[in-house]
């Protein structure tokens, strides 16, 4: 049975899939703008797909998005709002191409110092956006190229602040200085290890980063 199923996939089928994927990648490279369709943050391996970029991909593939709230908590007494949304992408024939889930709640780090009663709608919009991004990443098979959303790395940023770790901006500036000074990767690692006593940049504190920057500027 397994052999029969495999035989249904022809070389033409494979070629169509490859051509389709390559066309999507070409479209992204030629039409996406950083800061508008996708965002980058230092030390994070993949850029984040933003809502405008997700909508462009939907338009490219003639997909319509239908979003439903499948779970919600609206606790006005405690000021807690939580939403889980499902986004369904359909083609022109009404056939479901992909589905995605997205959730958001008022207890996320970005909302901690805000009035929970004034952000309920924002929380819902973020859940819907995350569901859309999840669905289009699946439909276009570009999850290897993009991460889910920029909000997903808030935990990384919060951890930097909590532990007094070097910020992403500091690390990006250090990388630029090292490049300007012509340091190879091996030289850079040895150089920073000598200054901080640490082998990995994720262990640097803000003070470590400041020392590296000062030394590089005087190098």
């Amino acid at each position: 049975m397994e052999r029969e199923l495999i035989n249904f996939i022809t070389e033409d089928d494979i070629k169509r899939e490859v051509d389709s994927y390559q066309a999507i990648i070409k479209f992204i490279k030629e039409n996406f703008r950083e800061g508008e369709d996708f965002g980058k943050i230092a030390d994070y391996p993949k850029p984040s797909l933003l809502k405008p970029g997700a909508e462009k991909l939907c338009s490219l593939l003639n997909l319509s998005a239908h979003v439903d709230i499948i779970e919600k908590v609206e606790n006005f007494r405690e000021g807690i709002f939580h939403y889980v949304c499902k986004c369904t992408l359909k083609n022109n024939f009404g056939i479901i191409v992909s589905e995605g889930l997205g959730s958001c709640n008022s207890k996320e780090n970005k909302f901690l110092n805000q009035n929970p009663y004034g952000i309920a709608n924002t929380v819902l919009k973020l859940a819907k956006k995350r569901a859309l991004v999840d669905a289009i990443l699946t439909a276009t098979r570009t999850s290897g190229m993009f991460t889910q959303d920029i909000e997903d790395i808030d935990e990384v940023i919060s951890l930097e602040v909590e532990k007094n770790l070097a910020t992403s901006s500091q690390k990006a500036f250090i990388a630029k200085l090292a490049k300007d000074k012509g340091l190879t990767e091996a030289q850079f690692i040895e150089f920073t290890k000598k200054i901080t006593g640490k082998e990995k940049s994720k262990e640097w504190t803000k003070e470590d980063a400041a020392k590296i920057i000062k030394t590089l500027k005087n190098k």
Side-chain angles (χ1 to χ4, degrees):
M1 177 63 71
E2 181 179 352
R3 186 174 181 179
E4 292 177 359
L5 289 174
I6 293 176
N7 287 338
F8 279 112
I9 303 175
T10 66
E11 290 186 5
D12 287 340
D13 292 330
I14 295 174
K15 186 177 185 304
R16 276 194 296 270
E17 286 295 314
V18 172
D19 289 345
S20 174
Y21 178 74
Q22 290 178 344
I24 291 172
I25 299 303
K26 185 174 185 291
F27 174 82
I28 290 171
K29 290 181 177 179
E30 293 180 354
N31 296 279
F32 273 35
R33 296 181 179 179
E34 183 177 350
E36 178 182 334
D37 302 304
F38 67 93
K40 289 183 178 180
I41 188 167
D43 294 332
Y44 206 72
K46 294 186 291 186
S48 167
L49 181 62
L50 304 178
K51 186 180 179 183
E55 291 172 341
K56 281 184 179 179
L57 289 174
C58 285
S59 178
L60 172 69
L61 300 177
N62 292 317
L63 299 176
S64 58
H66 307 267
V67 181
D68 298 301
I69 301 173
I70 61 174
E71 181 182 326
K72 68 178 179 179
V73 174
E74 294 178 332
N75 188 329
F76 288 89
R77 180 183 295 273
E78 301 293 334
I80 299 174
F81 301 92
H82 170 74
Y83 300 96
V84 179
C85 295
K86 180 174 75 172
C87 177
T88 303
L89 298 180
K90 297 181 180 180
N91 63 18
N92 291 336
F93 301 101
I95 298 174
I96 296 176
V97 174
S98 176
E99 292 181 330
L101 295 176
S103 67
C104 188
N105 69 81
S106 56
K107 290 296 185 179
E108 292 186 16
N109 288 328
K110 67 178 67 57
F111 301 129
L112 290 183
N113 296 319
Q114 298 186 45
N115 179 354
Y117 302 101
I119 60 170
N121 190 51
T122 300
V123 171
L124 176 56
K125 285 183 177 180
L126 275 175
K128 289 181 176 180
K129 180 176 70 173
R130 290 172 179 176
L132 169 64
V133 171
D134 185 35
I136 196 62
L137 286 178
T138 300
T140 57
R141 296 153 295 171
T142 51
S143 58
M145 186 174 185
F146 295 110
T147 187
Q148 165 72 353
D149 203 350
I150 202 76
E151 284 85 5
D152 293 344
I153 54 180
D154 278 352
E155 296 298 329
V156 176
I157 298 173
S158 298
L159 188 62
E160 289 178 352
V161 175
E162 180 183 343
K163 294 189 175 182
N164 195 38
L165 295 177
T167 66
S168 299
S169 297
Q170 282 180 310
K171 292 178 182 179
F173 186 52
I174 288 171
K176 181 180 183 303
L177 285 175
K179 182 178 180 181
D180 292 343
K181 297 294 183 179
L183 294 180
T184 65
E185 183 177 354
Q187 290 173 331
F188 177 69
I189 293 174
E190 184 63 28
F191 173 76
T192 55
K193 182 180 178 181
K194 184 177 180 180
I195 295 174
T196 66
K198 299 165 184 174
E199 294 186 358
K200 298 180 180 179
S201 62
K202 67 180 181 180
E203 299 173 348
W204 295 346
T205 63
K206 290 179 181 177
E207 290 74 18
D208 290 333
K211 289 179 183 178
I212 296 171
I213 291 171
K214 182 178 180 180
T215 307
L216 277 172
K217 284 183 174 180
N218 296 328
K219 188 175 177 62

